[in-house]
Structures are given as C-alpha cells and as structure tokens.
C-alpha cells in the first residue's frame, strides 16, 4: 500500500498578496498535482488554507491547529512575501525529514541570511552549497513540517518571547524551532531549495546577491 501524504499549503497573510506570489503558488500547485517524483511511492493529496489577520504568529497557530483537526499529514508554510520555483515543494518533501526550511536573505543591507546553525552562527547559502544542513532555527518563509512535529510539541508553538537585554520581542520563528528541537526533532535547511526562492520587499532579495561584509560598504550596493 502506497504512502499517502495529505499536504496543506498554509498561507498566513495580512490580506494582500503580490502577483508574483500568486503566480509562484499557481506554478507549485500545478507541479505538485502531477505527483511527487522525489517520493514516487507516495500518493499526494493537496489543499490550500489561508489565515488572514495582522498577527502573524496567531495566523500560524490557527493554520497548524486546523491542519491537525482536518487530519493532514504535512503542512507547508508559504509566506506571501516569497517568490519560488514550482519544483521547490517536491524537493523539500523529497528530503523525508520532519522539518525542512529554506535559507533566504533577511530584508536588509548588508545582506544576511535567516538560518542559524546550532553553534549560533548565521548559515550562508553559497553557489557550492547543496543538500541539507542542520539548524537551530530559520524563517518560515517556505518550510515543510510533518504534522507529528506539532502534535508532539506543546503549545503555544509560535509565541514570541521578550528579550530583556535588548528590550524587544523575538520573532515567532526562533522560539518555535527551539520548542520543536526540545521535543526531540532535528531541523534542517535545504540549500538546493533555498536557491529557488526570493524574499520580496522594497528590493527582491536572492541568495546569489550575498557578499562578505567586508565587500559591502553601505546599503546602496544592490548588485
């Protein structure tokens, strides 16, 4: 009997999405509807869910809760400020890991990446980077979860934390990944999938634009 993957593509949004995101999503859905060449033994059942509000960590919490209630097996977060190639989903699902994220640039200059290694250092996706690398945390921009992860990780999953030293709050990703790892799951970034995504802001941030900090003099260097 073949494996059945019940995947929900979960989009947390404030309500407006870019045309590039919609185009990327349509391309991925069309590609996934043809099956999973990276897991040829699996039957894929695909749905999309969206949660709209200005509170992104609440959106994520509701999306995961609904996915579990509806008996999906896997959830893929796709944030509405991401662009991505159609094959990203099949690559990440093909890794057969409970948590796989991508590494993409933070929307700032000098450019840095979202993924952080267990030793606390930022992970850089370079031209030669390939395969999986274990992480402490990354962004959720494009990320795949086996829903057993959340079933075995106590709620709240996405609650930000206050950091007295800097007098500010964390984003929701760092605490969530820590809770998941404390529940016994390893988390990874996929360098191959990372090269197929773009983080969209006032500028389109792509892995290939990264430069060592000593080569970047100011934020005007966008080459």
């Amino acid at each position: 009997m073949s494996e059945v993957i019940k995947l929900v593509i979960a989009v947390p949004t404030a309500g407006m999405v870019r045309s590039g995101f919609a185009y990327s999503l349509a391309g991925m859905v069309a590609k996934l509807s043809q099956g999973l060449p990276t897991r040829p033994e699996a039957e894929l059942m695909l749905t999309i869910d969206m949660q709209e509000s200005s509170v992104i960590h609440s959106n994520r919490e509701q999306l995961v809760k609904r996915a579990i209630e509806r008996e999906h097996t896997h959830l893929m977060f796709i944030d509405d400020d991401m662009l991505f190639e159609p094959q990203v989903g099949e690559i990440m699902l093909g890794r057969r890991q409970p948590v796989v994220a991508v590494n993409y640039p933070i929307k700032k200059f000098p450019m840095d990446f979202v993924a952080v290694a267990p030793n606390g250092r930022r992970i850089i996706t370079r031209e030669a980077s390939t395969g999986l690398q274990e992480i402490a945390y990354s962004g959720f921009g494009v990320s795949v979860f086996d829903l057993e992860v959340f079933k075995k990780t106590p709620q709240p999953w996405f609650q930000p934390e206050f950091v007295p030293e800097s007098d500010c709050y964390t984003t929701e990703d760092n605490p969530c990944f820590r809770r998941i790892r404390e529940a016994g799951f390893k988390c990874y970034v996929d360098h191959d999938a990372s090269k197929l995504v773009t983080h969209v802001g006032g500028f389109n941030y792509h892995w290939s634009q990264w430069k060592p900090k000593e080569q970047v003099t100011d934020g005007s260097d966008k080459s």
Side-chain angles (χ1 to χ4, degrees):
M1 186 168 131
S2 65
E3 176 188 15
V4 178
I5 296 175
K6 298 179 180 179
L7 174 68
V8 57
I9 295 175
V11 182
T13 180
M16 297 288 289
V17 301
R18 295 173 172 85
S19 60
F21 167 83
Y23 185 83
S24 295
L25 181 60
M28 179 181 287
V29 169
K31 190 80 166 68
L32 288 172
S33 69
Q34 300 171 22
L36 274 179
T38 54
R39 294 175 79 159
E41 77 286 357
E43 176 188 353
L44 179 65
M45 300 173 64
L46 177 64
T47 60
I48 299 174
D49 195 9
M50 186 174 286
Q51 179 68 31
E52 179 182 339
S53 84
S54 60
V55 187
I56 191 167
H57 52 281
S58 179
N59 290 348
R60 295 195 196 282
E61 199 89 13
Q62 295 304 312
L63 286 164
V64 171
K65 285 176 63 178
R66 284 205 297 269
I68 293 171
E69 290 166 0
R70 295 170 182 174
E71 299 185 339
H72 295 291
T73 63
H74 292 74
L75 177 143
M76 172 181 266
F77 276 130
I78 304 182
D79 290 356
D80 62 13
D81 61 352
M82 304 298 295
L83 308 179
F84 42 94
E85 296 299 320
Q87 65 269 36
V88 165
E90 66 184 38
I91 291 171
M92 297 173 74
L93 285 164
R95 299 302 189 183
R96 304 170 188 261
Q97 295 295 329
V99 181
V100 181
V102 296
N103 193 22
Y104 51 91
I106 299 169
K107 291 188 277 191
K108 68 173 187 177
F109 283 97
M111 189 176 288
D112 217 341
F113 284 89
V114 293
V116 173
N119 64 6
R121 301 188 65 178
R122 292 282 174 184
I123 294 172
I124 299 166
T125 295
R126 307 174 190 269
E127 186 173 0
S129 303
T130 190
L132 298 180
Q133 182 172 349
E134 188 174 354
I135 58 170
Y137 67 93
S138 186
F140 290 120
V142 180
S143 49
V144 173
F145 297 85
D146 186 321
L147 282 168
E148 288 299 315
V149 168
F150 291 106
K151 292 176 184 178
K152 296 176 181 177
T153 301
Q155 284 186 267
W157 299 305
F158 300 101
Q159 183 176 340
E161 296 177 346
F162 185 71
V163 183
E165 295 79 10
S166 55
D167 198 31
C168 66
Y169 287 89
T170 67
T171 53
E172 78 281 10
D173 45 23
N174 185 347
C176 181
F177 277 101
R178 190 193 70 243
R179 294 171 188 131
I180 288 171
R181 289 185 291 108
E182 288 172 350
F185 296 97
K186 288 188 176 183
C187 305
Y188 298 92
V189 288
D190 186 324
H191 286 295
D192 300 296
S194 298
K195 296 175 185 178
L196 301 175
V197 306
T198 300
H199 200 193
V200 179
F203 177 81
N204 288 355
Y205 297 81
H206 189 257
W207 73 274
S208 60
Q209 296 149 346
W210 177 85
K211 294 181 180 180
K213 286 187 170 61
E214 59 268 21
Q215 295 182 21
V216 180
T217 57
D218 58 50
S220 64
D221 186 351
K222 301 182 181 180
S223 60

